[in-house]
C-alpha cells in the first residue's frame, strides 16, 4: 500500500468519494486482500468507539487522531511483513485508545466525585452505642463498608430512631455497591427531620446515578431547596448530568 491508498481509505471511510472513485475503490477491495483487511480493521475500531462512548469532544478529537495516524501506523518498508505489522500497530493503538477513553482522565466518574468520603466519628460519651458508632466510623473510613453495616445494624436494633446510624448505614450500603439496599435508609432520612435530611436526598440521587438512572437522579436532586447546605453541590451535579 502507498500514500494514495491511505488517502483513499480515509476518504472512503469519511464518505468523501465521488461515485466513480468509490466504484473503482470497491472494485480493488474485491481483489486486494491487504487493502480490504486494513479497511475492515479501521472500520471495527471506529465501530467500537461509537458503541463504547457517548459523543463528546474528547472522543471526536481521538477519532481525528486515529484518522491522522493511519498512514503512519500502516506504513512499513518490508512488503512481506507490512500487513502483519500494521495489524499489530492498529491493535495496539486501538487498545490504548480504548483504555484512555474508558478511564476518561479528563472527566472523572461523577459518582466518585460526589460520593461519601468520610464518616464523622461521634463525640465519645462512654456509652456502648458511642463505642459502636466509633467502630463503625473507623470501619467506614477504612473502606470496610460491610463491617460498618454490621456494626450499624447493632446500633439500629437498639435505637431504631438513631438518624446518624441510619444515614451512615445507607452510605455504607451505597459505598458497598448496594444502592438498592441503601435507599430505604436514605429515604427514611429524607422523610424525617434530622440534620441529614437533604444529604439523604442527595445520596438518594447518587444511588440512582450509580445505576446510570439519570432521570431519577435529577428527580431527587430537584428536591433539595436553596437554603440547604448541600444545594450548591446538588446544582453542580445537575449541570454535569
Amino acid at each position: 500500500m502507498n500514500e494514495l491508498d491511505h488517502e483513499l481509505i480515509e476518504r472512503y471511510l469519511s464518505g468523501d468519494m465521488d461515485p466513480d472513485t468509490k466504484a473503482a475503490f470497491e472494485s480493488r477491495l474485491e481483489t486486494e486482500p491487504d487493502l480490504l483487511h486494513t479497511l475492515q480493521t479501521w472500520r471495527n475500531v471506529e465501530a467500537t468507539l461509537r458503541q463504547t462512548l457517548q459523543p463528546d469532544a474528547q472522543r471526536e478529537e481521538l477519532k481525528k487522531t486515529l484518522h491522522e495516524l493511519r498512514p503512519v501506523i500502516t506504513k512499513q518498508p518490508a512488503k512481506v511483513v507490512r500487513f502483519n505489522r500494521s495489524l499489530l500497530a492498529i491493535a495496539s493503538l486501538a487498545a490504548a485508545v480504548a483504555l484512555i477513553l474508558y478511564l476518561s482522565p479528563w472527566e472523572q466518574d461523577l459518582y466518585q466525585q460526589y460520593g461519601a468520603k468520610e464518616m464523622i466519628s461521634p463525640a465519645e460519651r462512654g456509652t456502648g452505642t458511642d463505642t459502636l458508632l466509633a467502630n463503625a466510623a473507623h470501619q467506614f473510613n477504612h473502606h470496610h463498608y460491610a463491617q460498618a453495616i454490621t456494626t450499624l445494624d447493632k446500633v439500629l436494633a437498639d435505637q431504631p430512631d438513631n438518624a446518624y446510624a441510619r444515614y451512615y448505614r445507607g452510605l455504607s450500603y451505597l459505598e458497598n455497591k448496594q444502592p438498592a439496599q441503601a435507599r430505604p435508609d436514605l429515604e427514611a432520612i429524607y422523610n424525617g427531620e434530622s440534620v441529614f435530611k437533604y444529604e439523604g436526598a442527595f445520596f438518594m440521587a447518587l444511588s440512582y446515578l450509580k445505576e446510570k438512572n439519570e432521570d431519577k437522579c435529577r428527580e431527587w436532586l430537584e428536591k433539595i431547596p436553596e437554603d440547604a447546605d448541600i444545594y450548591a453541590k446538588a446544582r453542580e451535579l445537575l449541570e454535569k448530568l
Side-chain angles (χ1 to χ4, degrees):
M1 291 175 58
N2 53 41
E3 290 296 326
L4 179 58
D5 289 335
H6 300 312
E7 181 181 345
L8 289 172
I9 289 175
E10 168 68 26
R11 291 173 58 195
Y12 185 77
L13 289 172
S14 301
D16 186 27
M17 274 186 175
D18 60 70
D20 291 340
T21 304
K22 182 178 179 182
F25 182 75
E26 290 178 340
S27 178
R28 287 185 58 196
L29 292 175
E30 295 177 2
T31 59
E32 297 182 34
D34 283 7
L35 182 64
L36 176 61
H37 282 289
T38 302
L39 173 68
Q40 289 175 335
T41 300
W42 277 107
R43 182 177 281 155
N44 290 340
V45 169
E46 292 183 344
T48 299
L49 290 176
R50 285 194 299 271
Q51 293 169 4
T52 303
L53 291 171
Q54 295 293 324
D56 59 34
Q58 289 83 8
R59 188 188 78 172
E60 294 305 315
E61 186 62 29
L62 281 168
K63 285 176 67 179
K64 178 181 177 183
T65 300
L66 287 177
H67 283 292
E68 292 171 351
L69 287 176
R70 280 187 182 126
V72 177
I73 66 174
T74 59
K75 184 179 180 181
Q76 297 291 339
K79 180 176 179 61
V80 174
V81 298
R82 179 172 56 217
F83 179 61
N84 288 338
R85 286 183 179 177
S86 68
L87 277 183
L88 179 60
I90 292 169
S92 299
L93 179 61
V97 169
L99 179 61
I100 291 170
L101 291 172
Y102 177 76
L103 294 176
S104 300
W106 50 81
E107 183 177 352
Q108 296 180 12
D109 176 78
L110 286 177
Y111 180 84
Q112 294 302 320
Q113 289 185 52
Y114 292 96
K117 307 299 182 188
E118 182 182 8
M119 178 176 173
I120 301 171
S121 183
E124 285 283 357
R125 295 185 298 252
T127 68
T129 296
D130 287 341
T131 298
L132 286 173
L133 291 174
N135 289 342
H138 178 81
Q139 291 159 349
F140 185 98
N141 294 336
H142 286 81
H143 313 296
H144 302 311
Y145 302 116
Q147 293 178 22
I149 291 167
T150 299
T151 302
L152 292 167
D153 281 344
K154 296 176 182 178
V155 175
L156 289 167
D158 185 54
Q159 298 180 5
D161 295 330
N162 189 317
Y164 175 90
R166 189 166 299 282
Y167 172 65
Y168 278 109
R169 187 175 71 174
L171 296 190
S172 296
Y173 274 122
L174 194 54
E175 292 301 311
N176 202 43
K177 301 179 181 179
Q178 297 173 274
Q181 290 88 335
R183 285 196 276 269
D185 281 341
L186 295 174
E187 188 166 11
I189 290 297
Y190 172 72
N191 290 330
E193 296 300 328
S194 74
V195 295
F196 302 111
K197 179 179 178 72
Y198 295 114
E199 280 77 4
F202 184 81
F203 285 102
M204 278 290 290
L206 286 188
S207 78
Y208 287 108
L209 180 64
K210 204 171 184 68
E211 296 177 336
K212 311 299 183 185
N213 188 337
E214 292 189 1
D215 289 340
K216 292 292 290 185
C217 178
R218 288 190 183 92
E219 179 183 319
W220 276 93
L221 291 173
E222 294 288 358
K223 295 177 184 288
I224 299 173
E226 291 186 28
D227 59 351
D229 290 341
I230 205 165
Y231 176 78
K233 186 181 289 188
R235 301 312 299 181
E236 182 180 272
L237 177 53
L238 267 170
E239 291 175 2
K240 292 182 178 181
L241 291 175

